[in-house]
Amino acid sequence: MFARGRVAAEVDDRAWLQAMLDFEAALARAVAPEDAAEAIAAACVADGFDVAEIGRSAADKGTPVPGLLAALRAKLPEEAAAHVHRGATSQDVVDTAAMLVARRALAPLLEDLSAAADACAALAERFRDAPMAGRTLLQQALPITFGLKAAGWLSGLDEAQLELANVRSNELALQLGGAVGTLASLGDEGPAAVKKMARALELAEPPLPWHTLRTRPLRLACALGTAAGVMAKIALDVELLAQTEVGEVAEGGGEGRGGSSTLPHKRNPVGAVAVSACAARVPGLVSTMLAAMAQEHERAAGAWQAESETLSDLLRLTGSAAAALRELLEGLEPDPERMRANLDATGGLLMTESVVTALTPSLGRAKAQELVEGAARSALDQGRPVRDLLAELPEVSESIGEDGLDRALAPESYLGAAGQLVDRAIRDHRG
Amino acid sequence: MFARGRVAAEVDDRAWLQAMLDFEAALARAVAPEDAAEAIAAACVADGFDVAEIGRSAADKGTPVPGLLAALRAKLPEEAAAHVHRGATSQDVVDTAAMLVARRALAPLLEDLSAAADACAALAERFRDAPMAGRTLLQQALPITFGLKAAGWLSGLDEAQLELANVRSNELALQLGGAVGTLASLGDEGPAAVKKMARALELAEPPLPWHTLRTRPLRLACALGTAAGVMAKIALDVELLAQTEVGEVAEGGGEGRGGSSTLPHKRNPVGAVAVSACAARVPGLVSTMLAAMAQEHERAAGAWQAESETLSDLLRLTGSAAAALRELLEGLEPDPERMRANLDATGGLLMTESVVTALTPSLGRAKAQELVEGAARSALDQGRPVRDLLAELPEVSESIGEDGLDRALAPESYLGAAGQLVDRAIRDHRG
Amino acid sequence: MFARGRVAAEVDDRAWLQAMLDFEAALARAVAPEDAAEAIAAACVADGFDVAEIGRSAADKGTPVPGLLAALRAKLPEEAAAHVHRGATSQDVVDTAAMLVARRALAPLLEDLSAAADACAALAERFRDAPMAGRTLLQQALPITFGLKAAGWLSGLDEAQLELANVRSNELALQLGGAVGTLASLGDEGPAAVKKMARALELAEPPLPWHTLRTRPLRLACALGTAAGVMAKIALDVELLAQTEVGEVAEGGGEGRGGSSTLPHKRNPVGAVAVSACAARVPGLVSTMLAAMAQEHERAAGAWQAESETLSDLLRLTGSAAAALRELLEGLEPDPERMRANLDATGGLLMTESVVTALTPSLGRAKAQELVEGAARSALDQGRPVRDLLAELPEVSESIGEDGLDRALAPESYLGAAGQLVDRAIRDHRG
Amino acid sequence: MFARGRVAAEVDDRAWLQAMLDFEAALARAVAPEDAAEAIAAACVADGFDVAEIGRSAADKGTPVPGLLAALRAKLPEEAAAHVHRGATSQDVVDTAAMLVARRALAPLLEDLSAAADACAALAERFRDAPMAGRTLLQQALPITFGLKAAGWLSGLDEAQLELANVRSNELALQLGGAVGTLASLGDEGPAAVKKMARALELAEPPLPWHTLRTRPLRLACALGTAAGVMAKIALDVELLAQTEVGEVAEGGGEGRGGSSTLPHKRNPVGAVAVSACAARVPGLVSTMLAAMAQEHERAAGAWQAESETLSDLLRLTGSAAAALRELLEGLEPDPERMRANLDATGGLLMTESVVTALTPSLGRAKAQELVEGAARSALDQGRPVRDLLAELPEVSESIGEDGLDRALAPESYLGAAGQLVDRAIRDHRG
């Protein structure tokens, strides 16, 4: 449930190991003699390392870097080994690896978000004019269209996608500062090495080392948090719409999925539940990242160390949610007839505002409102459709007549700008 | 402590009330006949309302809007009163007010952040070359300069400022959707009214109503959270540097501030403590905002309602932190002599890496490292300065001599790119 | 919405001021000469102080205590004034005040929780045998009773109440340690003064000062957090049951409450929404309290300062939720007919497990299951009630007959231990 | 760093699998015929299952239970297989497993906390009378003893241990309710089965199924959170005391641990950093658990699913912290000479309150205070020891003389109740 899709594999131990090795290879190419650099780079392939063993060494030291370096050096001739990791500190490796891991993990995540948005756009287009009850505080209020609901989802996904893509392009930066951020052990070569490595690893070149200036990981965390929140809203809507008593959507996937052999009517919204579960874990993790920004001096005692697993979890959970959401939206089965039936369930009471509007030209707003409210109350008390009560009123028959009344009571007549808003969301998405 | 500076006044009950009235005035001007609109707009001045009374009405209804509207209508001739709030729902008022409140509160907040950054730039410039101990895991590691430390702070503040300014300019949007986001009760006028109001209130025009799509408040919350985190790091550094045993900085302000008549040596870092206290409260609030993104259907049952006070708290706390930080940085009293003394406290042990580097050309890295490590260990064991032990080694006297040794042991010789990095941060800030 | 009921008044500025004065009065009685003590105690009445002025002084100093002491001393003859606050530090005042504020605020909070639990017990008793659909993942699953649902709520409220009452009785302790927790300025009198004050203020006597050992405020915060979570679950159930399409409960209070003149069918669950909104803000605040436990040395630089307002917010929000929940539960209007109708909406599909159980004695479980699943699937495909399809099966008529079938299909026949569980919850509550 | 000690193995996939199997075995023994029950129980051994395969099946279904049941049934003769899992729902398995996992994980966790507390008690005893600077807001304030600091740590650990032990004994309960908590498919056997299983698994028998009443997991989470907070405070103190400039403690373990070959003076507080890092991740996770209490109806759609991994993480992180803390405290190397030297670093200024107290009998408090404050200010201005300035004052020599002055300036003379408090904490711990 929490490792669905393709992001999980991009944040596992092996992915982190490869990213750390990519740092060492790029560093060697930036500061070591060519021969040594090529030897080092050739050795920097995760498959050649024992991930579990390096993990165990991390438990002792509080960082996997020394164990990794020892294993790397052991693969190299002495001459090349002497050039490994020159100028860098452990945190340079881990921070840069985190950025590389993030960049790689964001690729499938963004793809899934895009596909989910495409699916929303298709739903919005197809159900652009399908009326359903709009609900506020979980009570039916006024009609909307399913297209508008899907357009809202679309708009949220597009924003989440844009923000994450922006973070991926602009905020993920190289880390290289040496022990205290002065690049001292690289002599005069430091700034040039930073530039070279950033280019080679396709990461931004930061103005300063950011060992204890954590805005970059935070922007990533916040963008993931916002994306998770957007998805949580959609999943919640789906769960509510899929309720037995509402039945306006069902998740696709046939009997095998969310079904129950003993309760065949049950179509558990398993995709939505997966999204909700992943998203529920995200806000706490973001708060951990924020609280960890208070980092001491040149390198922190605990707060920094708390970041890596938290960031992996954030990527994995948001990624799982995106994979589940995409699948859910691509297979979603809306039921416009049920939507219509639910809309009619209150016998027209949802449409009274529309009738007031229709009567206003002839009766004035105050009088119109008074009449309609009285009819609505009586309808509710007597359990009769409000239409019948309104039709009996001479003021109504004299002003708009039964036809006018039926027009006013039709949900289609009171959708305001819904269609335009749908069109705009689709245009924005595709444009 | 939590309401320092000018932000608190921009998020208090009166400020919210005025922002809600600004919404009603702008709405009237967008959709009501001109006479009514002007009458409404003229009445929309917070001073004419009883804030406490409206607050009480909110407790009953769960929203202050009905009480506010009743009070507003009571001030107007019937004709104008009939046009108040047409087409809007309570949440339109509150969401738009939140955006206006945020825009207004961000003005002094951004000013304080800017001034704090200016103060950092001045410190970075003045102490560009002042050596001090760089510290990792709270242990002295290698020399840095106080300029570099200040440049790091500067760079964090500049990023925080930029992000908040960006949110202020681009993310704060009008809310106008009516009960379910269709703008139905405005007939065909809806979209035009949105455009007009957005322009009048200087807020962005959103593509869709965002009643349950909460990316906008979230971006604001995240940018505030990141700014608070940046400030927390600076405050923590100041607290640590101001420790009795470190004494490298003191907060300004003389005896009255942070001093104690009974303990005259005590210079409590009260400004830094205020920043830390405010910032400590922020991550939890951001997580509340993120968790509240899961909002039901067209308007939410609880999650949305949880946002307003949380957002006010976020603005107030981040604003208080910025005001305290500005004052702190503008008055900060660094003590370069104490920095130098602390740097020398380990008798040169911090500089061994530099000596290795100096010896490497003549002895080779491995031999140089072995010699220096041996001397350092002996120095620690015997309680003697490492310089003396190194000076006694023939390999040292023959290769670099005492002069070379003293040069290598001087912190100034091992600052790497510190100066360049300081210059870059200042240039970026001023450019 | 966030200051409902009687807790808010117990955590406001005046309440804190009185609690701080109570500390000073008790301290004087414990360590000052009797005359001075009585003079001090007599002056320690909040009404005699300017709350706003003391608040302003707090903004400068980071603590209201110096301003309060100055104002208190100004009311006293010099001789008595000299004895004010002897032996105490500011944090002693604030921590003890927090405990007093908590004890006072918990009284109405516990009362509201108790009354809410009583209301649940009454509902559980009255609807002990009223069948309704049990729902999992928001899908109808098997029948339960409304009594069982109410019994679950009851059980949660009883636990929350018990835990908070336990914290109130055992965890709220005096704070008196002086500047660094040694009680040094009280000479030999320290421990005796602690004992005397604890007794006088009806607070626990702690084994050691707890200036930076924050388990006590944390237990309070966690108990409040758990209570809020219990209430959030109940509110969520009410919101879901009150949905237009479900309609199994409505909040009481008539038209004025949660109603809408334009949408007369709408009965907004305003009480439940208020509970949800308050509860949504609690988890983040608890995380703030937990993160603030990392406090430096003898008194902390920021983390401690972050606690007071957070704790006030926690009490106020949990208190508001309890007040709203009590009102909601005392007025709740369940609709057993609608429950029954919803239970029948799937045409008996919910009861298939019961039919399998009924057929098992004659047919064996495997065969029974196969037959019933087939019928259920056909029912769903053909849109016919599963009863009809089952009744047509010879295996059914031969083994249990139509009567047996109808008995098996009656929700009452498949409620398991529901009744016993209800009885137990009520007995536990009342016992 | 995050999987130190013995807790990690108790919360890994295999441990969860075994706990789920333990549920199935106990259920079979409670409700199946004896032969089937023994066959099932015999098969319920984790080693016989493919953990990874069951994990993969969980990803699809959102729960590992169906995959586990299929694998278990495949190991059994048909007759026994038919009795597997009768009466239970997936959540019964997972909730009970969570409680078993927690009980098992808490055993080593409590052991490590106890051992850490023992180590504190030993430190408190050994350094009962060793003076050191008490520090408030990171500034030296008045003398304390290292014994008192250790006693404070001890007291926190004892409370954390007690609370967790209490949760372990009383709050961990069986879950058995069937699909909707009525135990319907067990007919009349339900309540008896609950009782039997609870006894067999040594878990509490809950009054009602607690599928959506989450106080039990929350008490566990809060107790873990509080324990983590207590440990975070100790770790922070150690990090601060171990600073190069303070040097009052060092972590043991010799060169290999926290040392650096290039910076031999550096003794990184790696144990403390590990504790800090683990603890920093806990508050966010607790907030996730609290927010997840809002669970729908009879079984939740997402919130419940978010709990399991979160709880595992909480146990693992708190367990890692406890293991690291125990090791740290057992090996801690306090340096009483350095403590004394730091105490003297302000040239007696810390002791002025003590001198005032000594002079008060002869001069009156006001006069004494005035004299001493003047001397202290001059000492600070002139950079001379305050003793010298005080000794020159005739009022001092006439009243208490140089001997009296030296006595008053000795830290030992102003430790208040420190010794008594230490004794009490040790007695409470051992008693």
Side-chain angles (χ1 to χ4, degrees), chain B residues 7-17 101 312:
Chain B
V7 173
E10 300 291 354
V11 302
D12 68 11
D13 288 350
R14 203 192 155 286
W16 274 89
L17 175 59
V101 161
S312 276

Side-chain angles (χ1 to χ4, degrees), chain A residues 72-235:
Chain A
L72 174 56
R73 286 188 183 118
K75 288 185 191 307
L76 293 168
E78 203 174 321
E79 224 175 358
H83 288 282
V84 164
H85 195 60
R86 189 165 76 82
T89 190
S90 296
Q91 190 175 341
D92 291 333
V93 186
V94 176
D95 276 346
T96 302
M99 297 288 110
L100 290 173
V101 161
R103 198 185 63 214
R104 290 162 190 172
L106 285 175
L109 202 166
L110 286 167
E111 228 177 274
D112 283 341
L113 282 178
S114 274
D118 289 345
C120 282
L123 289 168
E125 195 162 41
R126 184 164 147 224
F127 297 94
R128 181 187 185 277
D129 302 311
M132 74 186 294
R135 295 168 177 101
T136 64
L137 286 76
L138 293 175
Q139 301 284 305
Q140 291 192 8
L142 284 177
I144 60 166
T145 59
F146 184 61
L148 183 59
K149 192 179 281 275
W153 299 347
L154 169 60
S155 155
L157 288 172
D158 276 350
E159 283 185 45
Q161 213 260 6
L162 196 69
E163 189 179 353
L164 271 170
N166 177 40
V167 166
R168 186 168 188 264
S169 301
N170 302 317
E171 300 288 341
L172 305 180
L174 180 74
Q175 180 72 282
L176 181 67
V180 293
T182 58
L183 293 157
S185 69
L186 289 174
D188 293 337
E189 294 173 76
V194 170
K195 191 179 288 291
K196 263 189 248 173
M197 285 186 71
R199 200 167 301 158
L201 294 170
E202 296 177 70
L203 293 170
E205 183 194 344
L208 300 187
W210 44 280
H211 290 140
T212 50
L213 299 166
R214 311 304 292 178
T215 49
R216 291 172 191 279
L218 256 294
R219 295 233 175 110
L220 174 57
C222 286
L224 290 167
T226 304
V230 165
M231 295 191 277
K233 187 267 181 293
I234 301 173

Side-chain angles (χ1 to χ4, degrees), chain B residues 49-71:
Chain B
F49 292 79
D50 181 340
V51 181
E53 178 55 35
I54 291 170
R56 270 186 298 278
S57 78
D60 285 349
K61 295 268 175 183
T63 156
V65 176
L68 171 67
L69 295 177

Side-chain angles (χ1 to χ4, degrees), chain A residues 134-135 137 149 152 159 163 182 185 207-208 213 215 219 222 233 237 295 297-299 414 417 421 424, chain B residues 135 137 149 152 159 163 182 185 207-208 213 215 219 222 233 237 295 297-299 414 417 421 424:
Chain A
R135 295 168 177 101
L137 286 76
K149 192 179 281 275
E159 283 185 45
E163 189 179 353
T182 58
S185 69
L208 300 187
L213 299 166
T215 49
R219 295 233 175 110
C222 286
K233 187 267 181 293
D237 279 1
Q295 302 200 353
H297 290 316
E298 281 58 68
R299 283 197 284 130
Y414 207 63
L421 295 171
R424 186 189 294 173
Chain B
R135 296 169 176 100
L137 285 76
K149 192 179 279 277
E159 283 184 45
E163 189 179 353
T182 58
S185 71
L208 300 187
L213 299 165
T215 50
R219 293 230 176 112
C222 285
K233 187 269 182 290
D237 278 0
Q295 301 200 354
H297 290 318
E298 281 58 68
R299 283 200 284 129
Y414 207 65
L421 296 170
R424 187 188 293 172

Side-chain angles (χ1 to χ4, degrees), chain B residues 21-109:
Chain B
L21 290 167
D22 292 341
F23 172 91
E24 296 296 346
L27 174 62
R29 284 189 167 128
V31 306
E34 204 180 324
D35 283 5
E38 287 317 307
I40 293 171
C44 285
V45 178
D47 287 340
F49 292 79
D50 181 340
V51 181
E53 178 55 35
I54 291 170
R56 270 186 298 278
S57 78
D60 285 349
K61 295 268 175 183
T63 156
V65 176
L68 171 67
L69 295 177
L72 173 56
R73 287 190 181 113
K75 288 183 190 306
L76 293 167
E78 203 174 321
E79 222 176 0
H83 289 282
V84 164
H85 194 63
R86 187 166 76 85
T89 190
S90 296
Q91 190 175 341
D92 291 334
V93 187
V94 176
D95 276 345
T96 302
M99 297 287 112
L100 290 172
V101 161
R103 198 185 63 214
R104 289 161 190 173
L106 285 175
L109 202 166

